[in-house]
Amino acid sequence: MSLIKTISLKPLGDERGSLIALEGNKNVPFNIKRVYYIFNTQQGVARGFHAHRNLKQLAVCVTGSCRFILDNGKQRETIRLDNATKGLLLEDLIWREMHDFTPDCVLMILASEYYDETDYIRDYATFYELVNG
Ligand code: TYD
């Protein structure tokens, strides 16, 4: 089974251009408590390198692109987010890394909870032990 769950976000376009609306418990399958975005990522920088115990997230590259690596301790998969209509759903205990940010990349993340450092697993060995141990 693939680790990659994507949601197709329907643009409400007309002759003026496009608009995408994200609504908690509607096209986003959780209650949205927090939004953050990652931008100005320097060349060669990779981010993430953690898993979350409970948090659900939806990642959308609003502009530019980046590549996600997802890892459940058994398999590893990669997906390039390169379109504002493509949402990547992260809802299980999954290790995530983000690589290959284009200079114009704005990666927006919707999250189901407020920021909580205790929800993070930042050590791969700890993560691996938790899912395989
Ligand atoms: P970090 O978790 O290192 O980013 P990433 O894993 O996506 O590469 O976050 C960078 C800093 O920002 C770190 O000091 C924690 C802080 N932070 C918040 O204060 N609130 C947030 O919602 C997030 C995501 C991070």
Side-chain angles (χ1 to χ4, degrees):
M1 211 186 72
S2 178
L3 306 180
I4 293 168
K5 297 178 190 166
T6 56
I7 295 180
S8 244
L9 304 165
K10 194 170 177 292
L12 309 168
D14 56 29
E15 64 287 347
R16 296 170 298 170
S18 303
L19 181 157
I20 289 178
L22 302 174
E23 297 181 292
N25 297 315
K26 291 198 172 176
N27 59 346
V28 178
F30 51 79
N31 191 30
I32 302 162
K33 277 201 183 159
R34 177 167 55 111
V35 178
Y36 63 95
Y37 35 98
I38 293 172
F39 58 104
N40 273 342
T41 306
Q42 300 300 298
Q43 214 177 357
V45 167
R47 304 196 55 138
F49 298 92
H50 61 254
H52 284 283
R53 295 173 197 277
N54 294 310
L55 190 69
K56 295 182 189 351
Q57 295 179 307
L58 185 75
V60 181
C61 245
V62 177
T63 276
S65 70
C66 69
R67 186 170 60 86
F68 267 76
I69 294 176
L70 303 185
D71 178 337
N72 66 353
K74 296 178 176 68
Q75 58 186 117
R76 213 159 226 256
E77 288 182 46
T78 183
I79 178 174
R80 174 161 285 281
L81 291 189
D82 55 3
N83 194 305
T85 65
K86 184 158 62 173
L88 175 65
L89 189 59
L90 302 160
E91 53 182 3
D92 304 311
L93 190 55
I94 224 159
W95 184 264
R96 76 285 307 267
E97 301 173 9
M98 294 90 86
H99 296 263
D100 302 336
F101 288 83
T102 56
D104 61 342
C105 179
V106 179
L107 175 63
M108 180 179 68
I109 315 273
L110 312 185
S112 64
E113 301 297 336
Y114 298 123
Y115 176 70
D116 174 9
E117 187 59 38
T118 66
D119 189 64
Y120 281 73
I121 303 164
R122 293 194 183 269
D123 173 57
Y124 188 82
T126 305
F127 164 76
Y128 189 89
E129 186 61 26
L130 195 62
V131 292
N132 290 309

